Amino acid sequence: MMNETWLTDVTLNTGMIYLRPLEWGDREALIEAASDGELWKLWFTSVPSAETIDAYIDKALRDKEKGEALAFVVGLQETGQIIGCSRFCHADSLNKRVEIGYTWYSKSYQRTAVNSQCKLLLLSHAFEQLGAIAVEFKTHHSNERSQTAIMRLGAKHDGILRQHQKLADGSYRDTYVYSILNREWPDVKARLALKTDLAS
């Protein structure tokens, strides 16, 4: 029950990007964003296509109603264009833990400052406004790019959940788990701020 009041709607922004809560009205913009690179073809991650977008948004909003998640669209400040998504998920308000996941960006904005700025916004909110004691990240064992990006944030590798999830093709996913603790956040924040030119 506590989760229902821990995650509440908020809009986060830098000079370059904004994050605001996902809405049904974002449906077409998300399809267009995912079409840049046909991201739904990436077998190791979950990106919506025209066929799956309704189920994608429905799950995000149902998890929000249960207090377990808060999904954001990622957009460009200058144009308002939506270029991806990210999400607080698996929220545990009793133990003050939350995961950042379901993150994807249009191909044109991958390997840019967008991801660092997005993570800085979400981590800052989690540690400084929500009072989280740990923020988790999980990724597919074959997604080496994601693993590298998570470690570059300063997250520590906690372990591997073997046969963690059954995939659509019937195979099982081993999940790599990482986390950042609240005592580690000041150093992580300083490094992220330098990477994103948002040092204050």
Side-chain angles (χ1 to χ4, degrees):
M1 184 66 70
M2 290 179 65
N3 280 349
E4 295 179 6
T5 58
W6 195 40
L7 296 180
T8 56
D9 281 355
V10 64
T11 297
L12 309 171
N13 59 78
T14 67
M16 178 182 180
I17 65 168
Y18 65 85
L19 278 69
R20 66 158 174 77
L22 171 69
E23 304 170 351
W24 274 108
D26 298 318
R27 185 181 184 280
E28 296 303 320
L30 288 175
I31 295 172
E32 183 176 351
S35 296
D36 179 3
E38 298 184 322
L39 302 181
W40 55 83
K41 292 184 177 179
L42 298 173
W43 60 273
F44 49 74
T45 190
S46 176
V47 179
S49 65
E51 290 73 30
T52 63
I53 186 66
D54 290 339
Y56 181 89
I57 296 176
D58 183 64
K59 175 174 170 50
L61 297 183
R62 281 190 289 108
D63 288 349
K64 177 182 177 179
E65 287 180 2
K66 292 186 288 186
E68 296 175 358
L70 178 58
F72 296 90
V73 294
V74 181
L76 300 177
Q77 289 281 23
E78 187 173 350
T79 64
Q81 177 188 356
I82 291 175
I83 59 170
C85 269
S86 194
R87 192 178 308 183
F88 287 130
C89 53
H90 301 121
D92 178 356
S93 61
L94 179 63
N95 295 297
K96 297 295 183 183
R97 299 181 68 92
V98 69
E99 180 184 337
I100 294 175
Y102 296 88
T103 302
W104 58 270
Y105 311 106
S106 300
K107 186 174 182 181
S108 300
Y109 295 93
Q110 296 173 11
R111 297 188 176 185
T112 70
V114 167
N115 186 54
S116 294
Q117 292 199 16
C118 181
K119 292 301 190 295
L120 181 58
L121 288 172
L122 291 173
L123 287 165
S124 294
H125 186 71
F127 286 118
E128 297 170 15
Q129 274 68 55
L130 297 179
I133 59 97
V135 175
E136 299 176 358
F137 301 87
K138 296 187 181 81
T139 189
H140 193 289
H141 68 277
S142 295
N143 193 346
E144 295 181 0
R145 180 182 295 183
S146 177
Q147 294 165 29
T148 299
I150 291 169
M151 287 188 290
R152 282 179 179 166
L153 291 174
K156 300 293 193 298
H157 187 205
D158 292 332
I160 302 171
L161 300 175
R162 297 184 298 162
Q163 294 192 4
H164 180 223
Q165 292 176 325
K166 190 173 185 177
L167 303 179
D169 63 1
S171 65
Y172 284 88
R173 154 182 162 155
D174 289 348
T175 298
Y176 281 39
V177 183
Y178 303 82
S179 67
I180 298 171
L181 304 183
N182 54 351
R183 66 172 181 267
E184 299 165 341
W185 170 235
D187 288 339
V188 171
K189 181 180 182 179
R191 288 197 300 271
L192 265 178
L194 288 173
K195 285 182 183 179
T196 57
D197 295 323
L198 294 175
S200 57

